[in-house]
Amino acid sequence: MNSPTFTIMQEYRGGRLPLFHVDLYRLSDPREIDDLGLDELAEDGVLAIEWAEKLGSDARLESSRYSCAVSVRIEHVDADTRTITLG
């Protein structure tokens, strides 16, 4: 199995819908992100994006376009505590 940490995009099939896990951590050029085709992935399955803040404010992929979109933010409070915010 590939580690999502070292893979920009990983696809998981076998469930009711395919799950696309995208890790934008290593991408800095907005054109690289556009080339991933995130809009198309979101139409075909479940799209989970790590480091979504790298999409920027001018990103074409916005949760308001998708009625089923859920934003999950996990923040480190300290070594043993995390805050999870759903939006």
Side-chain angles (χ1 to χ4, degrees), residues 63 66 68-72 86-87:
S63 61
Y66 304 97
C68 301
V70 175
S71 172
V72 179
L86 302 176

Side-chain angles (χ1 to χ4, degrees), residues 13-85:
R13 296 208 175 252
R16 190 168 51 104
L17 293 171
L19 169 66
F20 302 97
H21 173 242
V22 179
D23 186 343
L24 301 180
Y25 180 73
R26 289 184 171 82
L27 301 181
S28 55
D29 186 336
R31 292 173 296 189
E32 292 176 310
I33 296 171
D34 282 344
D35 288 345
L36 294 174
L38 299 179
D39 282 324
E40 292 81 16
L41 293 176
E43 291 173 0
D44 295 335
V46 176
L47 177 60
I49 303 174
E50 277 188 82
W51 296 90
E53 58 270 21
K54 290 199 164 226
L55 288 172
S57 60
D58 60 340
R60 293 184 310 120
L61 183 73
E62 296 185 24
S63 61
S64 60
R65 287 186 56 194
Y66 304 97
S67 60
C68 301
V70 175
S71 172
V72 179
R73 183 169 199 79
I74 302 171
E75 297 177 272
H76 292 264
V77 175
D78 59 39
D80 298 319
T81 307
R82 307 292 183 268
T83 299
I84 300 173
T85 307

